[in-house]
Amino acid sequence: MFESRIASPFAGESDAIASLGPIGRAVLRCREADIGSISDKLGIALPRAACRSESNGPSSALWLGPDEWLLLHADLQDDWVSRLAAHLEGELCSLVDVSHRQVALAVQGARAAEILASGCALDLSPRAFPVGMCTRTMFARAEVVLWRTGSMSFHLDVWRSFARYVEALLREAESEN
Amino acid sequence: MLIIPCPYCGERPELEFSYGGQAHIDRPLAPSDLSDEEWNSYLYVRANPKGRHAERWRHIHGCARFFNAVRDTRTDHILATYKVGEPEPEIPA
Amino acid sequence: MTTGHFRTPSGGRIDRSRPLRFSFDGRSYSGFEGDTVASALLANGVHLVGRSFKYHRPRGIMGAGPDEPNALIGVRRDQGRYTPNLLATQTELYDGLDAVSQNRHPSLEKDRMAVNDRFSRFIPAGFYYKTFMWPRKAWDRLFEPRIRAAAGLGIAPSESDPDSYAQRYAHCDVLVIGAGPAGLTAAMEAAKSGAQIILCDDRAAMGGSLLAANQVTIDGAPAARWLAGMLDSLAGMANVTLLPRTSAFGYYPHNWIGLAQKLTDHLADAAPGQPRERLWQVRAKQVVIAAGAIERPLVFPDNDRPGIMLADAARTYLQQYGVEVGRKVVIVAAHDNGYRTAHELKDAGIDIAAIADIRGDSPVAARARQAGLRVLTNAAIDGTTGKLRVASITLTSGGKRETFACDAVLMAGGFTPSVHLFSQSRGKLMWNEDLQAYLPDQSAEAERSAGACRGHFALDEALADGAEAGRSAAEAAGYPFRPAIIPLACAVAHPVGGGGHIGAAPTSDPSRPKAFVDWQNDVTAADILLAAREGFLSIEHVKRYTTTGMATDQGKLSNINALGIVAEATGRTIPEVGLTTFRAPYTPISFGTLAGRARRDLLDPARITAINDWAIEQGAVFEDVGNWKRAHFFPKNGEDLHASVARECLAVRESVGIFDASTLGKIEIVGPDAAEFMNRFYVNAWTKLGVGKCRYGVLLREDGFVLDDGVVGRLAPDRFHVTTTTSGAARVLGMMEDYLQTEWSDLDVWLTSTTEQWSVIAVQGPKAREVIEPLVQGLDLSPDAFPHMSIADARICGVPMRLMRVSFTGELGFEVNVPSGYGAMVWQAIWERGQAHDMVAYGTETMHVLRAEKGFIIIGQETDGTVTPDDAGLAWAIGKAKPDFVGKRSLARPAMTDPDRKQLVGLLTRDPRIVLEEGAQIVAPAAEDRSIGHVTSAYHSSVLGKSIALAMVRAGRARLGERLEVPMPGGSIAVDVVAPVFFDPKGDRVNV
Amino acid sequence: MQRFSAFSLFRQGLDRQKGWKNQWRKPDPKPAYDAIVVGGGGHGLGAAYYLAKVHGIRNVAVLEKGWIGGGNTGRNTTIIRSNYLFDESAALYDHALKMWEGLSQELNYNVMFSQRGVMMLAHNIHDIQVFKRHIHANRVNGVDNEWLTAEEAKDFCPPLNIDPNVRYPVLGAALQRRGGTARHDAVAWGYARAADALGVDIIENCEVTGIRRDAAGAVSGVETTRGFIASQRVGVSAAGHSSVVLDMAHVRLPLESYPLQALVSEPVKPIFPCVVMSNTIHAYMSQSDKGELVIGAGTDAYTSYTQRGGLHIATETLAAICELFPQFRRMRMLRNWGGIVDVTPDRSPIIAKTPVKGLYVNCGWGTGGFKATPGAAHLFAHTMARDEPHPINAPFTIERFRDGYLIDEAAAAAVAH
């Protein structure tokens, strides 16, 4: 039998920049009218407020657009999305498994926002980017999903093929003092 | 770097957006009924005004939505942004 | 090593306990911590620091800041760290600093090019437009090379720069630019409101004019102590970021400001790896510009000798650096700052030979006389002497001409507000007649100016103006109004007002030609008069014709005097003449700082697949495709491209090959209207495509030209798996979203990119099924159960798989899609299975050859944005019954149905060994000077044992069987036009 | 016209250059002209010159809303080349290049045309295919353009970094040796002076505010900030402002105006011998006679008339420049500015009659206008004088968009598979 471990593209590991292991991901798209019933079936309230997230145990729903959410599940199982799909049977929506499309880094510690500011043009002060806020944005020339999970911790989701580029830039910023 | 107020996400830097050209040019419902001249105007002819311009933007690296903006091409100041399907807002001079 | 003879015994802000050694043009000198190269050279009595651009006249230090036109030096840290054109006045001294002068040969003292000065009357402004035209060839070979050799100042670095540069985005409520009196009070008042503040200043020490404000008290305390207290409390505030050594160089739309921060240039040895400079891109809700003002020089004959400098610079060198710029000084003044300078220098024991005021008598003049100073009023300035240093100045006053021996002449022409950033922000300037200055008027951005840069020159005014600006800025940024500010009481021993002189100073000897307006570019008053005489009346024309204001100081000293001279010469007022636009940057900014971290691999993302590392281990050679790195070929034991590709091709045809197709774009299209969307978007008809089946799709731009293609599989009635070309992926998805969001909101369908969800492992060749079958679970791969152009979800190696039976090679083929985290593992498993069948890994080149043998087009190779489906032989794909699809209408335009359009054909060289060159042109034997087409693809086909080519040829399909020519430098190559399918034309091999 | 020469310069020198006169007069507008050219850039001034010189139409006015040469003529990076792919483009730009080769003598004004060679870098296999296609097509059309290996490219331009281990290695280059640069201001001034000498009125600070048409709909003159000026022949050569001017006659064209940025470094001694362009990483560079490194950046993404753009354009361009030429990383940016370029859907110009009788247009040059200056001016004058295009500009009509006969140089440089 084959050892079906999920490969990580990241090269390094540090307190400030650590890779987050395999995470279940799915993109959910639906019309506004159906948000309620779909939330019920998912067992998590899809945020209606722009750039906000909801969490329920290992599951989180990140608002990416008015009809688009990124569903996350802390530990990845190959059938997680198909089980979700089964729950949504009969709903008018699109659910697509993107668990492997992206990989995630945690950027954390007192310098987290400063390190991110080396490539992210958003205002990352707690006032403008509070805990729980999430958005697609750019880090240098790579599109990322940035999610503030704590006052000094961010979850950075990046498309797999950009992972080493983004990590290398973050490491350079980390090395500045 | 323009700062563009996305109707969904609020003010964001230009680098999250892609420009989509003049707004309110609807694709003809039956293109085959159009003359070459009419098709040409739909396809290529643009107002390109020096002054107020209603134009399409997409928050491609944000909420990914298309929306419209009224921008003064003499100053690059953005006077309004609004969602697709909404009419161009009246803005006092 | 000479020591600082001109250093005062005490005083200044330098650290006398920390002496530093440095060298200039190979000679060794000493200075102190806190010196600039300029102040340290002056302390050693060195004024001569450069040669001018055109006449190579000896030049000395004129200023003490970013306005310096003469003191440009090169600084060398090591082989890779040489920086030309640095301002000595802004270069902080460090131990061991090695500086050289520029634009002289062999030495500053003896410069051969100085002969230019003697011919100067024959080489006025713009002379080069009038000559060097005959003989024609002489321009390229003789004149231009000489002009170029003479031009330029420093020498460019010759080595790659080992330093790194950092970048940071920042946001604040109030950005205060300039930490002089107004900037400090602005920052403090704004900070008190709780707003987030950034205060930047281009100098090492904050304080601006307060750094040299002796004989001044604020709130009863000496200015220096007040300043220290102010900086301490600002530093102590959590909402304040202080950025010294940081120049605000550019004001961009929507309050986006560029700052350049120097990090290591002032250090003798920087910690390894630390960035040299940092680019800050600041988005500020409100901006306070407190940029101060720049003293104007006076335009009089021979006003450019070393030792002739700005009065306030001399004051600054004395008060801030403890340096005497001379022992015997004459001050030429059109402004009270000349008197202040005279008093302060005199108090320091410097002999003031005279103050020559071009204005009439005044209370300040009287006070100076009382203080025992010699004052000439209504003075005319007739010229100076001195070869490498000024030796005397001749003045006329009250009809009496006198020559004064001196070793320094100080010019006080009045102050020009620094409106550069305000003007960059597109704010409107207005001419102020009383102050004789352009001042900020209407703002274009959320910004306000404060202090001297808007004409508040007096210290108490500047302090109050700054405080008010800071308060109102904070308020505008959303921080509530607070009680009025208590103005600070200031005592200034020698107050200076506004006014001053603009244009050429009065002289009783107008025949003397060399009255300089722009020192660095050697532009004289006479040059500007010449330009006016030749009809260059717009100030922009004057600037471009004479080059005044175009040197590295960007006219900080010269622009306003040039304006005055043009105004006078053309009988217009200064506002009538106008003002040249101020362009970013305020001071020159390192390329590296702007480039930042984007170097080598970080210039642009190199996108890599999950199989990339395996390919590297196998010694693959890579090619760039869009942002992707793709394996181009897999050479074995020293093979070149052709040998490797020949081997790879044969193996695929005879047995089996494995290919990483992960970079292909993938989009999952889901919703009840998915098929309708596909019908409107692609040229093909989709309604009848069965679940579990695939179809080749073609996509046009609305202008009718082929944009992209790819295989589309139907997973369910309401779900399609769409593939695109590698670099077309983003473009196609973006275009789909555009139509869906803005035109077809009636459709219930959603798009999700799955490009990177899947690793795509193409297994192609007669043995393909045998290789993967044992690894696949839950799917019958037999030809009947899973025929060509099938798609299904199943499992492989215990992980999820989406399998497509498709072929871009003409062989039996499968594309194994697995979640990319499993890509490497599944690839390895298939590879190991494949060894029993001599499986090869092949790259993009082999893929190209195999598909060319089959006549399959590649977007971007056969097509180039000017090709219709019919041109490319894809008319069969068009759903004829469909009333409309993207691009359909355009296909009906006259040009698109022109029978003479280029069409895809095959070409066979008469000599099968000759492989045509891609891009080669094609002509008919009859008309060899007119191209009728071009070769789009050409390869040696190892399976066919001959060369093959695809081409786009005018009316090509009507030319089948014709003989055409491919003209090459070495002669024409004969080719026969054939159908564009060279191998297995019936297509039997995919159906095994 | 006062003749310019080394001798006149010397003679004037004896008199301290006091004897020089206006290079062009400052006339007030006459009530009427045989022809009016709107726009005092190189293209407009040149058109007026050739109307007078070639077609004997001397009663001509050039109307410039500001100062001549103040638009894209004075803002571009002065690159001149003609190695275009399609027959129509190659003919157009090579016509211009041939005229450049004699322009200084023609105008008795040194425009400093410098055939230093223009080298376009190939960074991937697709670039190589595209450039070789250009080279072969150019050869058939008699336009010089040759392929260089990376090593040959470095010999031609020593600062070039050909290290294969960079993000976008240099795989080779296409070189047009006849290409080069010229002094942009001198082109405007030279044409102005020569046209003036033939009787052309060059009227600055005169903005066109309206286009008047007679009952039949034909052009009868232009309203300006200095009053109405009559003419039955009006040529619009207003670059970025073409849409604005043509709108006055209710003529709408397939044009959009974008900011195009450029920048220069501080002047240094000669270090960079030619022009280098990289379309793949969007940067091009040459060194001016003054010693400045002249660097062309990209256009901003949105239409605008502000003649400026964002900081991110300069940062991206300089990142590319620093990769191609790492030794310049410590050089410094002295000036950064923007122009307004009018772009057509196929990125090729329009030099043609308009639907309005007597109204002609020369526009849509995008980023390529300067290199075409003499040729475009010459062809535009022909079109205005004869009321029909010259064979070379015949394909560059407005109607080609309606009919689909595009001349799409940019598309032909396609995107890699």
Side-chain angles (χ1 to χ4, degrees), chain C residues 314-393:
Chain C
R315 245 179 30 72
T316 301
Y317 285 118
L318 177 66
Q319 309 292 18
Q320 190 180 342
Y321 300 99
V323 169
E324 301 174 353
V325 299
R327 301 262 193 255
K328 194 175 176 61
V329 173
V330 171
I331 294 171
V332 292
H335 181 269
D336 294 354
N337 194 48
Y339 293 89
R340 178 190 185 182
T341 306
H343 286 291
E344 294 187 13
L345 265 58
K346 177 168 178 295
D347 296 349
I350 296 169
D351 177 3
I352 309 296
I355 304 173
D357 192 334
I358 69 172
R359 303 171 299 175
D361 263 312
S362 65
V364 278
R367 275 188 54 214
R369 291 205 180 89
Q370 288 158 16
L373 289 164
R374 171 97 190 271
V375 179
L376 315 177
T377 51
N378 298 308
I381 312 161
D382 299 338
T384 66
T385 64
K387 187 163 180 296
L388 300 178
R389 174 86 181 260
V390 65
S392 80
I393 180 167

Side-chain angles (χ1 to χ4, degrees), chain B residues 1-3 13-15, chain C residues 169 252-254 256 281, chain D residues 302 309-312:
Chain B
M1 184 81 60
L2 304 183
I3 304 296
E14 179 191 334
L15 51 76
Chain C
Y169 294 98
Y252 297 89
H254 300 188
W256 192 271
Q281 297 191 61
Chain D
Y302 49 85
L311 173 58
H312 57 296

Side-chain angles (χ1 to χ4, degrees), chain C residues 805-851:
Chain C
R805 182 175 166 186
V806 292
S807 173
F808 199 44
T809 59
E811 302 296 331
L812 168 66
F814 297 89
E815 290 190 354
V816 176
N817 291 251
V818 292
S820 46
Y822 300 129
M825 180 272 287
V826 173
W827 175 283
Q828 186 64 39
I830 296 175
W831 176 249
E832 282 163 16
R833 278 281 315 159
Q835 294 319 297
H837 304 280
D838 306 322
M839 170 185 261
V840 295
Y842 65 94
T844 50
E845 188 67 17
T846 290
M847 177 265 282
H848 284 193
V849 176
L850 296 171
R851 63 87 207 181

Side-chain angles (χ1 to χ4, degrees), chain D residues 232-243:
Chain D
Q232 261 123 44
R233 204 190 269 116
V234 174
V236 177
S237 189
H241 283 78
S242 301
S243 300

Side-chain angles (χ1 to χ4, degrees), chain C residues 12-70:
Chain C
R13 307 177 70 93
I14 45 166
D15 181 350
R16 293 171 189 259
S17 70
R18 305 189 57 189
L20 307 172
R21 293 157 159 270
F22 72 103
S23 75
F24 178 64
D25 281 346
R27 288 191 62 193
S28 184
Y29 302 93
S30 77
F32 292 116
E33 184 80 35
D35 263 323
T36 63
V37 169
S39 65
L41 284 170
L42 290 170
N44 288 281
V46 177
H47 277 254
L48 173 65
V49 291
R51 288 277 177 167
S52 65
F53 191 80
K54 185 173 171 189
Y55 305 131
H56 287 251
R57 288 166 64 99
R59 290 289 167 80
I61 296 159
M62 252 185 98
D67 49 335
E68 172 61 41
N70 293 337

Side-chain angles (χ1 to χ4, degrees), chain C residues 85 163 589 604 625 727 864, chain D residues 17 168 330 332-333 411 416-417:
Chain C
N85 296 343
D163 282 331
I589 303 302
D604 203 22
V625 181
S727 46
D864 62 4
Chain D
Q17 311 291 339
Y168 291 112
R330 291 176 99 89
R332 299 189 296 174
M333 176 172 82
H417 37 82

Side-chain angles (χ1 to χ4, degrees), chain B residues 37 48-50 71 73 76, chain D residues 241 243 257 302-305 402:
Chain B
E37 198 63 63
N48 196 32
K50 185 176 188 178
R71 182 175 52 98
T73 61
D76 285 342
Chain D
H241 283 78
S243 300
S257 298
Y302 49 85
T303 64
S304 178
Y305 288 86
R402 180 195 64 205

